[in-house]
């Protein structure tokens, strides 16, 4: 047998520790330890876990389902896009309707069987996994799909359908709901009975972690609130009282996959362990949980959107390794509008390459045994279970959303992450770091906003019973009537108020600065400009000048670096030549002590409105301040606040508070 590491000398943990201590040069080893937003430790060195076993989930050798989002409001154009997806590697479709909490201003608007038929024209319904993400239209969309299958002579039992009905997520997202879950329960029971009668398999409730993640939740919070939601739905399904029903088979979970690779892998693995614990406590059969992963909305950027391809690739890799049953990759232009065919192809091929060329699916739970992943999985399970128990103790997730404890906890995590983003300790490539002010726009599709206020017919709906309501919806669909299951049932319920859980993207505060710069460019013909006044030798100023360029352009301020300056006179000449609005001094600490005062005075005298300095100096005597240096910027400072100050000094719009 060939030893793969035969050409390398054997090393053990002691060797690694010795090498680390040598590199630290006497500094504390704790400097190498970091923590997640949950406060969970990330150690610099881990031992492999030879006692670990693979978690029960997607079977080894079985690839996850590549799911494509369908969101174009026009059924004909949506059909063209989805057929291209299916013909080129997608195995599933996520039908995102306009009322969905994930539609983001677009989404399907399908009212009739004719429109559903046009949307799914030439689609083999029994060969494609279909996810229905319709908000309050989910039940009606399912009725249309069942009616369409029967029209085409397809037994509904042959369909592969997951319905993302998530009333708790909707309540959290918009801040109100038309009644308690208890009041809505008969409608779920009606749906369960009907689907059991016709043999339609698949989830009818979806505990959607994406809504918590998009609002700023940490990994443990996303797991805990998703688990609490799933347990609430499990109780609902059990209470339907259907003989022979396996309640866990009617439930699925959606989680966000982001560019934190190891955290995403551990999160998905932790979800399986948490769910196994729930089934054990409930004395239900241990069956693998259906987990759908979608690349995270909050990590997507509008600036330099090409970097989103890297983010979503890492996220898709992590979702596949973590054991997701299906994965949806957001196209790299998703934050800018409805993606075109090219952006969709890139998103689809990302998964195809991971499956067909990288063969990620060949091994069951490939992260099993990894010291780092196993440790983080253990920590997440422990922390999430603790948070889950706290939610249950206060009456469940519905009460936590209604009275704000969930929102308060997520707000703390969001604020902590926002501080890291603001200081660029969690840099956003292409936005807060390495921005490109000359980037070219990318193409998205122009779509008319979907119209949710037009309905072609009205039907009298029976009260929920043992399948009668859903049967009436299917019958109405077949007759050509509008099947929107709307006000008659919901308006009779008591409106329950809460606070909306606002979703966001991490890049938004920096994008607001760039937007203000674009507006200035459009109005005046040029961007606000800063002169990087470099003095000394190249080795004295290059590092800080490069950092300063990156810093200013993250706020949309065009940076022009001077040639090496010798004195105040040459600095004043450089300012006149560039026509810059503001100036930033760039050099070494030694030269700052020698020449910074002279340079600042000369630049102020030459008309510089504001003078800054790249570095962190102790101006104990106040000489720099008296010379005109207004602020110092350095690695680790609050970059967002600093850029906001500069924008305010220039008369540009200040960014909104990210928290």
């Amino acid at each position: 047998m060939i030893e793969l590491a035969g050409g390398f000398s054997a090393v053990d943990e002691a060797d690694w520790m010795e090498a680390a201590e040598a590199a630290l040069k006497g500094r504390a080893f704790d400097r190498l330890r970091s923590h997640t937003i949950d406060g969970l430790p990330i150690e610099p060195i881990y031992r492999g876990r030879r006692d670990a076993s693979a978690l029960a989930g997607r079977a080894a050798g079985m690839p996850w389902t590549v799911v494509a989002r369908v969101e174009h409001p026009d059924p004909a154009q949506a059909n063209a896009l989805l057929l291209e997806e299916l013909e080129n590697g997608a195995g599933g479709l996520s039908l995102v309707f306009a009322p969905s909490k994930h539609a983001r201003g677009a989404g399907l608007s399908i009212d009739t069987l004719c429109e559903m038929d046009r949307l799914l024209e030439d689609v083999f319904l029994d060969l494609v996994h279909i996810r229905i993400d319709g908000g309050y239209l989910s039940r009606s969309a399912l009725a249309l799909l069942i009616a369409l299958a029967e029209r085409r002579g397809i037994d509904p039992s042959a369909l592969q359908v997951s319905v993302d009905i998530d009333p708790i997520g909707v309540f959290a997202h918009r801040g109100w709901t038309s009644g308690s879950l208890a009041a809505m329960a008969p409608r779920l029971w009606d749906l369960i009975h009907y689907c059991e009668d016709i043999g339609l398999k698949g989830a009818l409730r979806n505990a959607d972690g994406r809504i918590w993640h998009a609002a700023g939740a940490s990994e443990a919070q996303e797991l805990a609130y998703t688990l609490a939601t799933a347990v609430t739905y499990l109780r609902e399904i059990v209470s339907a009282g259907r003989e022979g029903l396996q309640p866990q088979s009617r439930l699925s979970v959606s989680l966000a996959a982001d560019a934190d690779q190891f955290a995403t892998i551990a999160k998905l693995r932790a979800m399986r362990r948490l769910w196994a614990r729930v089934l054990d406590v409930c004395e239900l059969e241990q069956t693998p949980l259906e987990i759908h992963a979608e690349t995270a909305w909050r990590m997507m950027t509008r600036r330099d959107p090409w970097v989103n391809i890297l983010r979503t690739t890492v996220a898709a890799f992590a979702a596949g390794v973590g054991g997701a049953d299906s994965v949806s990759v957001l196209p790299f232009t998703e934050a800018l509008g409805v993606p075109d065919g090219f952006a969709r192809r890139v998103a689809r091929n990302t998964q195809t390459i991971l499956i067909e060329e990288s063969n990620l699916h060949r091994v069951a739970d490939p992260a099993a045994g990894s010291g780092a992943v196993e440790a983080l999985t253990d920590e997440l399970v422990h922390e999430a279970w603790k948070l889950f128990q706290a939610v249950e103790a206060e009456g469940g997730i519905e009460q936590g959303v209604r009275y704000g404890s969930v929102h308060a906890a997520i707000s703390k995590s969001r604020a902590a992450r926002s501080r890291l983003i603001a200081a660029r300790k969690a840099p956003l490539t292409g936005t807060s770091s390495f921005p490109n002010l000359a980037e070219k726009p990318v193409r998205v599709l122009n779509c008319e906003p979907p119209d949710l206020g037009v309905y072609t017919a009205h039907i009298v709906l029976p009260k929920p019973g043992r399948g009668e309501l859903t049967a009436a919806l299917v019958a109405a669909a077949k007759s050509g009537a509008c099947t929107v299951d709307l006000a008659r049932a919901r308006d009779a319920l008591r409106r329950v108020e809460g606070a909306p859980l606002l979703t966001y993207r991490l890049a938004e505060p920096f994008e607001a600065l760039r937007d203000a710069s674009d507006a200035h460019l459009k109005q005046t013909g040029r961007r606000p400009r800063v002169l990087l006044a470099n003095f000394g030798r190249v080795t004295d100023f290059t590092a800080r000048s490069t950092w300063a360029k990156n810093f200013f352009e993250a706020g949309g301020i065009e940076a022009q670096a001077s040639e090496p300056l010798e004195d105040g006179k040459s600095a004043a000449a450089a300012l006149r030549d560039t026509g810059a609005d503001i100036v930033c001094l760039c050099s070494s600490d030694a030269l700052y002590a020698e020449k910074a005062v002279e340079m600042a005075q000369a630049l102020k005298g030459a008309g510089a409105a504001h003078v800054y300095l790249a570095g962190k100096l102790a101006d104990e005597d106040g000489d720099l301040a008296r010379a005109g240096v207004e602020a110092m910027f350095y690695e680790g400072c609050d970059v967002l606040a600093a850029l906001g100050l500069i924008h305010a000094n220039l008369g540009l719009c200040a960014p909104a508070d990210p928290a």
Side-chain angles (χ1 to χ4, degrees):
M1 180 180 294
I2 299 175
E3 293 186 20
L4 296 180
F8 299 89
S9 58
V11 295
D12 57 19
E13 187 175 356
D15 296 319
W16 282 107
M17 290 296 293
E18 182 180 350
E21 289 171 358
L24 287 168
K25 298 179 180 179
R27 289 171 292 184
F29 185 77
D30 283 350
R31 289 173 59 91
L32 302 180
R33 183 178 292 112
S34 60
H35 294 83
T36 69
I37 292 293
D38 289 304
L40 307 181
I42 304 296
E43 301 292 342
I45 300 176
Y46 287 94
R47 291 182 179 181
R49 291 272 295 273
R50 296 184 179 276
D51 61 332
S53 57
L55 295 176
R58 195 182 67 243
M62 287 294 295
W64 64 86
T65 302
V66 177
V67 174
R69 280 172 58 97
V70 182
E71 57 193 333
H72 197 293
D74 180 75
Q77 293 192 54
N79 174 258
L81 291 169
L82 71 85
L83 288 179
E84 185 177 6
E85 299 273 19
L86 294 174
E87 290 167 359
N88 290 280
L93 300 172
S94 179
L95 306 183
V96 182
F97 286 73
S100 165
K101 55 188 180 293
H102 303 295
R104 297 186 280 270
L108 299 168
S109 180
I110 303 293
D111 293 336
T112 65
L113 183 59
C114 180
E115 291 174 336
M116 181 66 85
D117 191 19
R118 182 67 187 93
L119 173 68
L120 297 175
E121 187 176 343
D122 296 327
V123 175
F124 295 95
L125 300 180
D126 52 343
L127 299 180
V128 177
H129 183 158
I130 296 178
R131 302 186 63 85
I132 296 176
D133 185 359
Y136 62 76
L137 292 180
S138 292
R139 180 192 299 268
S140 299
L142 177 61
L144 288 169
L145 182 63
I146 293 170
L148 180 61
E150 293 181 353
R151 171 190 278 189
R152 296 183 183 179
I154 300 172
D155 190 329
S157 65
L159 299 178
Q160 306 169 59
V161 182
S162 296
V163 187
D164 292 353
I165 299 178
D166 179 30
I168 290 174
V170 171
F171 181 19
H173 178 61
R174 68 187 181 188
W176 64 272
T177 184
S178 299
S180 66
L181 284 177
M184 297 179 188
R187 294 156 64 83
L188 171 64
W189 303 338
D190 178 280
L191 183 61
I192 289 172
H193 283 284
Y194 180 81
C195 291
E196 289 285 320
D197 288 341
I198 67 172
L200 181 69
K201 303 177 182 63
L204 300 175
R205 275 285 194 262
N206 178 252
D208 194 345
R210 294 172 294 175
I211 189 66
W212 316 116
H213 188 275
S218 66
E219 287 81 15
Q221 288 171 337
E222 182 184 353
L223 286 170
Y225 302 146
T226 303
L227 183 66
T229 303
V231 168
T232 301
Y233 294 159
L234 184 64
R235 294 190 184 106
E236 267 193 304
I237 297 169
V238 169
S239 64
R242 177 77 184 207
E243 185 177 351
L245 174 68
Q246 281 196 318
Q248 63 271 44
S249 68
R250 293 299 186 180
L251 185 64
S252 67
V253 160
S254 296
L255 294 174
D258 63 26
D260 190 336
Q261 174 179 310
F262 292 107
T264 296
I265 295 171
K267 182 172 67 178
L268 267 66
R269 299 179 78 249
M271 187 74 243
R272 293 205 180 278
R273 285 178 50 183
L274 290 164
W275 186 244
R277 174 62 175 156
V278 166
L279 294 183
D280 184 52
V281 170
C282 296
E283 298 183 348
L284 293 171
E285 180 183 348
Q286 287 289 343
T287 54
L289 175 66
E290 179 189 332
I291 297 179
H292 174 67
E294 183 176 79
T295 57
W297 168 248
R298 81 181 183 200
M299 73 178 180
M300 303 295 280
T301 65
R302 291 181 176 178
R303 299 293 176 167
D304 203 357
W306 300 96
V307 183
N308 290 330
I309 298 174
L310 303 179
R311 297 184 180 102
T312 55
T313 298
V314 173
F317 174 93
V321 170
D325 297 289
S326 58
V327 178
S328 179
V329 171
L330 296 181
F332 73 97
T333 59
E334 185 75 29
L336 294 163
V338 176
D340 66 357
F342 172 72
R344 294 174 184 276
R345 177 163 64 91
V346 173
R348 182 177 63 248
N349 287 350
T350 297
Q351 297 196 63
T352 300
I353 291 171
L354 291 173
I355 293 171
E356 300 297 339
E357 297 188 19
S358 300
N359 289 288
L360 291 189
H361 63 292
R362 298 295 183 188
V363 178
D365 193 12
S370 162
V373 175
E374 291 286 2
L376 186 52
T377 302
D378 290 343
E379 294 281 359
L380 283 174
V381 167
H382 175 77
E383 184 66 18
W385 188 260
K386 184 171 65 175
L387 293 175
F388 163 70
Q389 288 179 310
V391 170
E392 288 290 287
E394 69 175 19
I397 188 67
E398 186 180 12
Q399 297 302 310
V401 170
R402 181 177 181 182
Y403 295 111
S405 62
V406 168
H407 296 60
I410 290 177
S411 293
K412 290 181 180 179
S413 294
R414 176 169 173 163
R417 183 175 287 103
S418 294
R419 288 192 292 271
L420 295 176
I421 297 294
R424 297 198 304 192
K425 293 180 179 179
L428 304 174
T429 304
T431 302
S432 68
S433 294
F434 308 107
N436 177 14
L437 296 187
E439 66 181 80
K440 297 180 180 179
V442 295
R443 181 176 180 269
V444 294
L445 300 179
N446 293 320
C447 302
E448 291 293 328
D451 186 354
L452 297 178
V454 178
Y455 303 108
T456 57
H458 299 283
I459 58 174
V460 178
L461 300 177
K463 292 182 179 180
R466 296 179 64 84
E468 289 88 350
L469 172 59
T470 308
L473 289 170
V474 175
K478 292 178 182 178
S479 70
C482 167
T483 66
V484 178
D485 182 11
L486 281 173
R488 185 170 289 106
R490 294 210 316 273
D491 286 350
L493 301 174
R494 180 171 57 86
R495 182 180 171 107
V496 178
E497 298 286 350
L501 190 63
L502 301 177
T503 61
Y504 78 124
R505 290 178 299 104
L506 300 174
E508 287 177 6
F510 282 95
E511 290 172 349
L513 295 170
R514 295 283 295 276
D515 290 345
S517 172
D518 287 350
H520 185 81
L521 173 64
K522 185 176 181 180
Q523 183 178 6
T524 67
R526 72 176 184 90
R527 295 189 185 279
R529 188 175 301 163
V530 60
L531 169 67
L532 304 181
N534 301 323
F535 55 98
R537 296 171 300 176
V538 172
T539 53
D540 292 322
F541 61 73
T542 296
R544 278 177 169 154
S545 182
T546 302
W547 182 91
K549 176 179 173 61
N550 191 12
F551 166 85
F552 282 102
E553 294 195 344
I557 301 169
E558 181 183 346
Q560 293 195 0
S562 73
E563 296 296 324
L565 304 173
E566 296 180 359
D567 51 28
K569 183 178 180 180
S570 59
L575 178 63
R576 288 191 292 269
D577 291 342
T578 59
D581 304 286
I582 56 178
V583 178
C584 182
L585 303 179
C586 300
S587 192
S588 65
D589 287 357
L591 284 178
Y592 281 151
E594 182 181 337
K595 291 187 175 183
V597 169
E598 174 195 351
M599 291 290 190
Q601 289 174 336
L603 288 163
K604 289 293 287 187
H610 304 280
V611 177
Y612 307 109
L613 183 145
K616 188 177 183 181
L617 304 179
D619 187 21
E620 296 175 355
D621 298 329
D623 292 340
L624 289 172
R626 283 191 293 273
V629 175
E630 298 180 22
M632 301 182 194
F633 307 129
Y634 51 89
E635 185 66 28
C637 74
D638 189 332
V639 173
L640 189 61
L643 290 172
L645 171 65
I646 296 168
H647 270 235
N649 288 340
L650 291 171
L652 302 175
C653 298
D657 183 355

